[in-house]
Amino acid sequence: MTAPEGRGIGTDTSFRILHVSTGNVCRSPITERLTRHALCDRLGDPMGGGLIVESAGTWGHEGAPMEANAEIVLADFGADASGFVGRELLDEHVIRADLVLTATRDHRAQVISMGHSAGLRTFTLKEFTRLVRAIDPATLPDPLSDGMVERARALVRAAAALRGWLLAPSAEADEVNDPYGAPITFFRSIGDEIQQALDPVVTALTGVPTRR
């Protein structure tokens, strides 16, 4: 097949982040919209200085809305849940992504198995957070002089280089459990978990800390 524009380390002016879970109605919609919200909060720009945030599911409910409890969780954080439509993960999504963040190791394996040289740019969300915490921000390009996109690409390369050296304390430590069908209390705990994992990632991507 012919690769769409933006294969791997994408276009010169944008950097695509793809969040992946199973149905694309719970975890990945929450993660997508919380990422967008965090970028807007830090940068005052919903496009995040060229950072494009999307999501899909390995068994995605194509065209489905996100779960009602997921919408409630996003509202708790002041994030926008409107206009969301579920998607099944396709080759073109992986091809265009510069960074793929999955809910679990199984999702990560499925993305990598699709090919498209995805291995070095696919991580579980918590795995990427753990690696990012070990990267000295001073070694990354300056977002003001070099641009947000160049900084994001350098961050992915640095995280990939660390992967074999900085191991998780347990396999489960790199995973976000599925709240599908669970009560709102469990959804909220998963939302908190995702938010805590995203915060250092967005800070590293943008060079801008959370506004408290």
Side-chain angles (χ1 to χ4, degrees), residues 60-137:
H61 301 294
E62 189 72 29
M66 74 175 74
E67 283 288 291
N69 282 345
E71 292 190 3
I72 292 171
V73 167
L74 290 173
D76 289 344
F77 287 102
D80 182 13
S82 65
F84 179 84
V85 177
R87 303 192 304 176
E88 182 179 358
L89 182 67
L90 302 176
D91 287 275
E92 66 185 65
H93 301 145
V94 177
I95 289 168
R96 291 172 65 88
D98 298 283
L99 171 62
V100 184
L101 296 175
T102 70
T104 70
R105 292 169 297 146
D106 282 346
H107 297 133
R108 182 185 65 193
Q110 285 179 268
V111 171
I112 293 172
S113 73
M114 294 171 73
H116 315 304
S117 304
L120 292 177
R121 49 194 168 91
T122 303
F123 309 79
T124 75
L125 170 62
K126 287 187 171 183
E127 174 191 21
F128 194 65
T129 301
R130 175 166 46 79
L131 298 172
V132 160
R133 288 184 184 277
I135 296 169
D136 182 356

Side-chain angles (χ1 to χ4, degrees), residues 40-57:
C40 191
D41 181 63
R42 285 165 168 79
L43 305 173
D45 176 7
M47 286 295 292
L51 307 184
I52 300 168
V53 187
E54 303 171 317
S55 65

Side-chain angles (χ1 to χ4, degrees), residues 15 17 19 31-54 148 198 201-208 211:
F15 180 95
I17 302 169
H19 293 294
T31 315
E32 173 197 317
R33 294 306 175 93
L34 286 180
T35 304
R36 291 187 187 182
H37 181 67
L39 289 171
C40 191
D41 181 63
R42 285 165 168 79
L43 305 173
D45 176 7
M47 286 295 292
L51 307 184
I52 300 168
V53 187
E54 303 171 317
M148 204 78 65
L198 278 176
V201 170
V202 178
T203 297
L205 284 167
T206 63
V208 180
R211 293 191 299 177

